[in-house]
Amino acid sequence: MMIDLVIFLPAIAAIALLCIPRDAQRALRGVALIGALATFVLSLGFITGGFGNEFDQRIPWISGTWTAAYHVHVGGLSVYFVLLTTLVSVAAIWGAFSYSDAGKLRGFLALLLLFETTLLGLFTAADLLLFYVYWDLMLIPVFLLLVGYSGSAEARSAAWSYLLYNGAGGLVLLLGVVGVVLHTGTFEVLGQTYSFGTLENWLFAAFALAFLIKTPSFPFHAWMPPTYTNSPPPLVAMVSGVQSKAGLFGFLVFALPLFPVAAHTWAPVLLVLAVASIVYGAFAALGQRDMKTLVAFSSLSHLGLVVLALFAFDLTSVPGSIVMIVSHGLISAALFLLLGFVEERTGSREIGAFGGLAAHAPRLQALMLVAAMAALGLPGLSGFAGEFLILIGAWQTQPVYTAISLIAIVVASAYVLKMFQAAMHGPESVPGGRTYGDLRAREIWILAPLIAGIFLFGIWPGVLLPGGGSLTGATPAHTVALHGQRPHA
Amino acid sequence: MDKFAALVLVILLLPLAGAVLISFAGPYLPRVAAAVIANGTLLVAFLMTGIVALTGWQATSSGQTIPQHFAYGTWALIPPLKISFGLLIDPLALTWMLIITGVGFLIHLYSVGYMASDRNYRTFFAYMNLFVFTMLLLVMSDNFLWLLVGWGGVGLASYLLIGFYYDRVSAVLAARKALIMNVIGDVGIMIAIFLIYAHLGSAAYSDVFARVASVGAPALTAIGLWLLLGAVAKSAQLPLHTWLPDAMEGPTPVSALIHAATMVTAGVYLIARCYPIYDHAPVAAEVVAVVGATSALFAATIGCVQYDIKRVLAYSTMSQIGYMMFAVGAGAYTAGAFHFLTHAFFKALLFMAAGIVIQNLGGEQDIRKMGGLAGKMPLAFWTFLIGTVAIAGVPPFAGFFSKDAVIDAAIALHHPVLGAFLIIAAFLTAFYMFRLLFLTFFSGAYRGDGAPHDHPMVSMNVPVVVLAILATVGGFLAAPLGAALRLTFVGALHDQDIATINWPVAAGAFLLVVAGIATAYALYQVRPQLRESLIRALAGPRQLVMNAYYLDTVYHWLVEVPAYAIADAAAGFFETFIIRAIPLAASATAAALGGFARAWESGQLRRYGLTIAVGVVLLLAWYVITAYAAASQGVLPQ
């Protein structure tokens, strides 16, 4: 019940919004923000007793040749994803208050809330059918937000690119799901071990391809730069901060435990793609002129580290990847929202088109500095904690891939500074003269929880892993897949 | 947590508290209050460090043992990995802590006057306090992870302060360069930690050093070399030194504190801290010594031809750290720490005296536009003179003793070639420092525009005088320092004696110093014509040295240009023609597979079922992909 409330509260708020007149701006904002905040506060209930709690609800759904259940679960692994979603959603929905077209604000907020519900549904799904349904439902709000609420032709083109590429990924996933269910006769596969025989490699490949497209991973990221660049800041904060974790969640919760043997068989390929994402993403970020696209590629690079962690099969790197997932969610949401604030003030996000904002916006500079340094991997902030735990673990099993990945850390310092300094430093110059002020109180409060998390999980990542990284709730199959022993085929 | 553990934690956190307070109060805090908070936190931290040091000193003199190691909590526990947060307060850490807080306080005090008219006065003190905190963390940590946190933190503080005048493009670029090169060093330390964890199973100093003997030399050599990468980046040694001269873009107190007295010696601290590793990895230690001695000589040659007063001092810093680096590489850890101590005194002094000159000349840093200032700025002159004789190695000033200790070590530990490097560098040091002194304060009349004026400021003069005294008598700290550090370097491979002076060597080195001074005197005071003809005769080599051997150019073409070329290729060609073509290629594959599926008929019901499922999916995929291809060309309905 508790889980359902968390999942559907944003959707209820969205429906409530539709009952409010379009021009009642204050009411619209109030309802949307209260909905998101209430969801976040409720979701905190999952960790009142610590990270080890398990919440479970199961209602039979389909029976017969194939069985399925409405089975939702919040536990050891999913709790991080759920809390990240509810936290980032608050920031995104509050950030959406400054959406420029007042007439469209209602729809904008409602779609963001619906998007939150699909994300929460995905991260709580303990049934493959449910997971698949949310996997595809997620596409709709993002597509509509891009098509209807960005106002540019590029955004509409990006929307199609997003929908079709991810839709193709969804179809591949469907293929995999169908394959699994034909074999097992049930969608409730979590916690079970199956022997798929030779089919396992193919099923894993289908799951993996879908997950790599969603994350995205090199070379399946063609949809990402246009989508991230053209999304309004609150949307991209949610897509990059949360939705990009859907594939990683899929690996952790479904693909690795279901197909442990195939995961090891395919590991060399995934490791190569991971390292390619890490290094290629970093260099591609360095080559950008649009700050949003730059951060988009840095995201490609940083999430490659998570894939590296998962397929290095090390005791430390997998729990480390949880720190990285949470950290990346906070950092990328903060960066995209900050770039939104910058764009509101300067009308641009092009490197070299403006500069020197630090002179009259010291608070904007300070918060941007924290987020930028966290993305750069400055020791003491959460980005470093994730990177370090992943890399020290991955080094033990895959030193060569890990060593190559380290190149990206140096390149990251170059692209992060390229962006940060271009915006903040140098002689003050803004096209059309300076009309902006420093961050307002609302903007600071939007960012405050994200920044606080960046500090907290950097200084003390252990707070995320109180069980010593044992990831309570992980099934025996998990333990096999995650903890490095090669299972006997 | 017992009293002592709380005390050392307070020492660490006081400067941080100051930084946080000043940052959060922002413009609501009066400027005076910001200065008081910054100075007050450092003074208290210094006094508390002094108490800890004296307590330890008394305890050990009376044969007791005092706790050195304080554990506070766990950073991350992912069995088998366990990383804690703890502090190690031994004589080595205390040596650095006393300089960081003590000299740090003096430089803060100096900044009260030097930065008085700056718009971002509060920010300056917040950054300076942040630096002191991270530097303390670096030397107080009891494990490699928190060392790295401090290491990265000082890199950030250094970046912020080099780029303090952020509206100047040159400062912005210098800051960027410093941070990127330091991140290269950070990666070196990360790899070292990964290797340490792989071979020794821990990141805590106590575990690692206790287990060193059980690990083979090749692994320790690798660890030692990766640590060295971090050390050379932070300490501006060959080949990662090119950021340091540019770092002079920062305000002069920053140059004094971060880029002379403390941060740039972090590499020396790191090697000294890891002495059990280097004692067991002779090859890595030898590389450290070679890098140090080579850097000492290399930088000294460049120092001879620079005209910017701060750049001369920057190269001299690189050169002096080369001495320290050589010492710790050769195994004379105590000599390295001793030279760090005296260098902190005289180099901070030189920068601060130079700062007075620069400020009185309205920001002029070119020594060709100075001259004849000795009478006009007597305090700056006399203190600069003390700093100069101290760094040149004139007895009984501080540098004489510590440099002698390093050169003695070179001879005693059989490094004839590197020792020769150091001795030549000593000659060059005397030469370029007196060249600087003559050109600034003598060599005829004032050559600049406008009239130099002397605005004595108490807050600037007091610390300069204190440091001048320390630079004069600091050499006599050899005996107590040596005795204290013996407690850290237990079981070190080589003898750590620094108090005994090898008089024949000292006398020989001193003769070379006199020769260096005489040469400078001849060329810059007596015979300017001889200097001009020398410059003409050596125009080619001089050009090479003046441009710092063109290493900046080499790095530009070898690293920067290729990196940006790769970046542009990735962002441009590769994205457009490869990444976006993948969905198109997939459509072709899908078509081929579709053809295969049609031919796949065998009469089995299960196979038919699967075929239908696959077919539906592929048809959908085909539609999706072609639509995607169309959309990417922008022809789809919008």
Side-chain angles (χ1 to χ4, degrees), chain A residues 147 153 156-157 160-165 167-168 171-172 174-175 178-179 182 218-223 225-226 280 282-288 297 300 315-317 319-320 323 356 358-360 363 365 369 373 376 378-380 384-385 387-389 391-393 395-396 402-403 406-407 409-410 413-414 417-418 420-422 424-428 457-463 465-470, chain B residues 27-28 74-81 83 119 123 127 145-146 148-153 155-156 159-160 163 166-169 171-173 175-177 179-181 183-184 186-187 190-191 193-195 197-199 203 226 562-564 566-572 574-576 578-583 609-610 613-614 616-618 620-629 631-632 634 636-638:
Chain A
V147 161
R156 284 191 291 274
S157 164
W160 284 105
S161 150
Y162 169 84
L163 185 70
L164 296 176
Y165 213 135
L171 289 175
V172 177
L174 178 61
L175 198 62
V178 167
L182 282 177
F218 177 94
F220 309 114
H221 62 269
W223 64 271
Y280 176 86
F283 276 106
L286 186 60
Q288 300 304 322
F297 277 103
L300 180 72
L315 287 166
T316 307
S317 69
V323 178
H360 286 95
R363 293 190 198 121
Q365 181 203 218
L369 178 71
M373 287 300 137
L376 180 149
L378 184 82
F384 167 79
E387 277 177 20
F388 182 86
L389 291 171
L391 292 171
I392 197 172
W395 182 278
Q396 313 305 323
T402 310
L406 288 165
I407 296 168
I409 294 183
V410 177
S413 67
L417 290 184
K418 176 181 172 178
F420 174 72
Q421 292 188 319
M424 294 299 156
H425 295 160
E428 191 178 11
F457 304 135
I459 296 166
W460 188 18
V463 72
L465 305 164
S470 60
Chain B
Y28 304 106
T74 307
W75 183 71
L77 173 70
I78 307 177
L81 178 77
I83 295 177
R119 197 168 70 89
T123 314
Y127 287 173
L145 187 278
W146 283 94
L148 182 56
V149 174
W151 197 270
L156 169 68
Y159 161 82
L160 292 171
Y166 55 74
D167 47 354
R168 280 207 314 240
V169 173
V172 172
L173 293 178
R176 184 185 307 187
K177 185 173 172 184
L179 190 60
I180 294 175
M181 292 189 94
V183 167
I184 295 174
D186 294 358
V187 168
M190 281 175 83
I191 296 177
I193 297 176
F194 300 161
L195 288 169
Y197 179 62
H199 291 281
W226 285 113
Y564 277 94
I566 293 172
D568 288 341
F574 208 82
E575 276 298 304
T576 316
I578 311 280
I579 298 300
R580 284 182 210 159
I582 284 174
L610 188 60
V614 170
V616 166
V617 167
L618 287 178
L620 282 169
W622 170 246
Y623 168 74
V624 159
I625 288 158
T626 45
Y628 174 81
S632 62
L636 223 77
Q638 289 176 348

Side-chain angles (χ1 to χ4, degrees), chain A residues 265-480:
Chain A
T265 312
W266 279 100
V269 175
L270 283 145
L271 287 170
V272 168
L273 292 183
V275 173
S277 299
I278 295 166
V279 177
Y280 176 86
F283 276 106
L286 186 60
Q288 300 304 322
R289 301 203 58 80
D290 185 307
M291 293 182 185
K292 252 166 134 181
T293 323
L294 187 152
V295 178
F297 277 103
S298 88
S299 205
L300 180 72
S301 180
H302 286 136
L303 292 180
L305 277 169
V306 177
V307 180
L308 171 69
L310 298 184
F311 290 91
F313 299 112
D314 175 83
L315 287 166
T316 307
S317 69
V318 175
S321 71
I322 295 288
V323 178
M324 187 71 191
I325 284 169
V326 172
S327 160
H328 176 267
L330 300 175
I331 296 169
S332 69
L335 274 176
F336 279 120
L337 289 171
L338 277 160
L339 287 180
F341 299 153
V342 167
E343 198 178 351
E344 280 171 26
R345 284 165 172 73
T346 62
S348 173
R349 41 172 207 267
E350 170 101 3
I351 285 171
F354 64 97
L357 299 191
H360 286 95
R363 293 190 198 121
L364 177 62
Q365 181 203 218
L367 293 184
M368 185 79 131
L369 178 71
V370 176
M373 287 300 137
L376 180 149
L378 184 82
L381 298 177
S382 65
F384 167 79
E387 277 177 20
F388 182 86
L389 291 171
I390 285 176
L391 292 171
I392 197 172
W395 182 278
Q396 313 305 323
T397 56
Q398 300 291 350
V400 177
Y401 288 130
T402 310
I404 298 170
S405 307
L406 288 165
I407 296 168
I409 294 183
V410 177
V411 181
S413 67
Y415 68 69
V416 166
L417 290 184
K418 176 181 172 178
M419 177 190 75
F420 174 72
Q421 292 188 319
M424 294 299 156
H425 295 160
E428 191 178 11
S429 78
V430 177
R434 185 177 74 85
T435 51
Y436 61 88
D438 203 348
L439 285 188
R440 290 180 287 271
R442 176 183 69 93
E443 294 166 324
I444 291 174
W445 283 112
I446 288 172
L447 294 168
L450 306 176
I451 300 290
I454 288 172
F455 275 109
L456 175 64
F457 304 135
I459 296 166
W460 188 18
V463 72
L464 282 174
L465 305 164
S470 60
L471 299 179
T472 42
T475 60
H478 264 108
T479 321
V480 173

Side-chain angles (χ1 to χ4, degrees), chain A residues 134-144 162-163 166-167 214:
Chain A
Y134 282 119
W135 183 269
D136 273 358
L137 274 181
M138 273 191 318
L139 302 180
I140 298 167
V142 178
F143 173 77
L144 292 177
Y162 169 84
L163 185 70
N166 282 282
K214 185 70 83 185

Side-chain angles (χ1 to χ4, degrees), chain B residues 53 97 127 133 145 238 274 330 378 391 397 438 451 502 508 526 601 634:
Chain B
M97 285 163 68
Y127 287 173
F133 160 68
L145 187 278
L238 281 171
C274 298
I391 192 176
F397 295 91
F438 290 137
N502 186 347
V526 194
E601 289 174 83

Side-chain angles (χ1 to χ4, degrees), chain A residues 16-89:
Chain A
L17 284 183
L18 299 181
C19 306
I20 297 171
R22 219 176 263 277
D23 45 5
Q25 297 275 318
R26 288 181 65 120
L28 288 174
R29 291 174 179 178
V31 168
L33 186 59
I34 289 167
L37 269 174
T39 311
F40 172 65
V41 171
L42 272 178
S43 70
L44 287 177
F46 294 131
I47 53 163
T48 41
F51 277 94
N53 290 358
E54 299 285 324
F55 296 81
D56 200 89
Q57 189 200 351
R58 186 177 176 279
I59 301 166
W61 186 8
I62 301 170
S63 57
T65 324
W66 300 317
T67 60
Y70 178 80
H71 187 178
V72 286
H73 181 92
V74 176
L77 282 165
S78 50
V79 69
Y80 303 103
F81 295 86
V82 169
L83 284 172
L84 182 66
T85 308
T86 56
L87 177 64
V88 170
S89 297

